[in-house]
Amino acid sequence: MKKFLGILSIGYKLYFGLVFFGLLFLLYPIFFIILLNPKWKRAVLPFKLFWTYALTTLCLLFHKTEKKPDKKIEGPFIIIANHSSYLDIPFMYQTARKYRFLFLGKSELLKWPGLGLLFRKYNIPVYRKNRVQAVKAIEKAKEELRNGWSIAIFPEGTIPSDAPKMMRFKNGAFKLAIETGVPILPITYLNSFQLFPDPEHTFGIAHPGIARSIIHDPIETKDMTKEDLVSLRNKCFDVINEPLLKRHDKLLNNGN
């Protein structure tokens, strides 16, 4: 039975890929023209949102934010979230749609056909093996924060093989927040790993469903120094991890 479901999941993943690249093909000329001029970048946002909603709807994937901050909040922010599925990327546009943001992400995404050019022109790639390029990426992020853009980062750096268990957070997001004094907005994706696991797990179960998230209260970083980095990082980890522990208690306690 499990193998049969795995085969069905492969078909679903192929369908997801066709829809993803089909929509990209249709919208690519619009993205390309808008991104010819950096000053037009904001005009990309409604098309990005349309892309993600069309993708998830056609794949029968839906999103629900179960909890939001009680008070109205305004950016810019350093937006951070756990990363357990590639669905986290399109759903981020829906979760944080009120805050115009750019992804600060690994440069490996530049290798994706079609997507690479758009990622380089719109978001901020990080060349982790090139220190000079990495520093330039951080300076670019600081510039965009000054321009009113939020920056979205998955501080684990990759999708963990044993999601929903999180990997230790890397320092970059928290160093950026401290250096700029920008608040951190933590988000927990509760179950996206159950809907669409890492594609490297060929027979991993993938299916339609509702992805659920929590937007936590912002965490202020004003007046913090580099001495506060570890405590800030640990606090953010605990805030994001707590709902996962409650929801997936048996799964996490079994070490899976």
Side-chain angles (χ1 to χ4, degrees):
M1 184 64 178
K2 187 174 181 180
K3 187 173 182 179
F4 174 71
L5 292 175
I7 293 173
L8 288 179
S9 296
I10 291 175
Y12 181 72
K13 292 174 187 177
L14 290 173
Y15 171 72
F16 182 93
L18 287 172
V19 174
F20 179 92
F21 285 106
L23 289 169
L24 175 61
F25 177 77
L26 291 174
L27 293 171
Y28 190 90
I30 298 173
F31 289 142
F32 183 82
I33 291 171
I34 293 175
L35 292 173
L36 286 175
N37 188 336
K39 295 181 180 179
W40 298 345
K41 186 180 288 188
R42 290 188 66 170
V44 170
L45 289 172
F47 295 102
K48 281 268 190 178
L49 201 56
F50 170 79
W51 182 14
T52 61
Y53 272 108
L55 170 65
T56 54
T57 300
L58 288 171
C59 294
L60 300 179
L61 292 163
F62 306 97
H63 172 261
K64 180 179 180 181
T65 300
E66 295 192 341
K67 185 178 179 182
K68 301 177 182 179
D70 295 329
K71 298 180 181 179
K72 183 179 180 181
I73 55 176
E74 297 181 359
F77 299 106
I78 306 294
I79 303 171
I80 63 170
N82 58 311
H83 196 18
S84 62
S85 166
Y86 282 120
L87 293 180
D88 300 333
I89 297 173
F91 278 131
M92 178 71 82
Y93 285 104
Q94 299 176 25
T95 313
R97 63 184 179 276
K98 293 183 179 179
Y99 320 109
R100 57 186 178 99
F101 68 88
L102 307 172
F103 273 111
L104 183 68
K106 55 186 180 182
S107 61
E108 286 82 352
L109 290 172
L110 298 176
K111 299 177 182 178
W112 286 39
L115 189 64
L117 177 63
L118 298 181
F119 188 81
R120 183 172 67 252
K121 289 284 188 179
Y122 184 76
N123 296 294
I124 306 174
V126 178
Y127 299 83
R128 292 179 292 186
K129 296 181 180 180
N130 186 318
R131 182 173 177 80
V132 174
Q133 292 294 332
V135 170
K136 288 183 178 179
I138 296 301
E139 292 304 314
K140 177 66 174 175
K142 291 179 180 178
E143 178 186 346
E144 297 295 2
L145 286 166
R146 290 192 293 269
N147 292 334
W149 289 85
S150 293
I151 300 295
I153 302 172
F154 294 112
E156 293 168 277
T158 189
I159 298 175
S161 59
D162 53 354
K165 184 177 181 180
M166 293 197 303
M167 299 173 63
R168 179 179 178 273
F169 284 176
K170 298 182 183 299
N171 290 335
F174 312 101
K175 184 179 179 183
L176 178 61
I178 289 172
E179 290 178 353
T180 58
V182 172
I184 293 176
L185 184 65
I187 295 175
T188 301
Y189 286 106
L190 293 167
N191 66 325
S192 53
F193 74 98
Q194 294 174 316
L195 301 177
F196 202 98
D198 190 334
E200 291 185 5
H201 302 162
T202 305
F203 288 95
I205 304 300
H207 57 82
I210 300 175
R212 302 179 185 276
S213 65
I214 293 174
I215 304 177
H216 301 275
D217 291 324
I219 297 173
E220 292 293 337
T221 65
K222 189 177 180 180
D223 298 326
M224 285 189 178
T225 67
K226 61 182 180 180
E227 282 72 27
D228 300 302
L229 191 150
V230 173
S231 61
L232 175 64
R233 185 189 69 203
N234 292 341
K235 179 178 180 179
C236 290
F237 183 97
D238 291 340
V239 166
I240 292 174
N241 194 41
E242 184 179 2
L244 294 173
L245 294 174
K246 290 181 179 178
R247 186 181 181 94
H248 303 291
D249 177 64
K250 291 182 180 180
L251 184 61
L252 290 169
N253 286 335
N254 287 335
N256 296 325

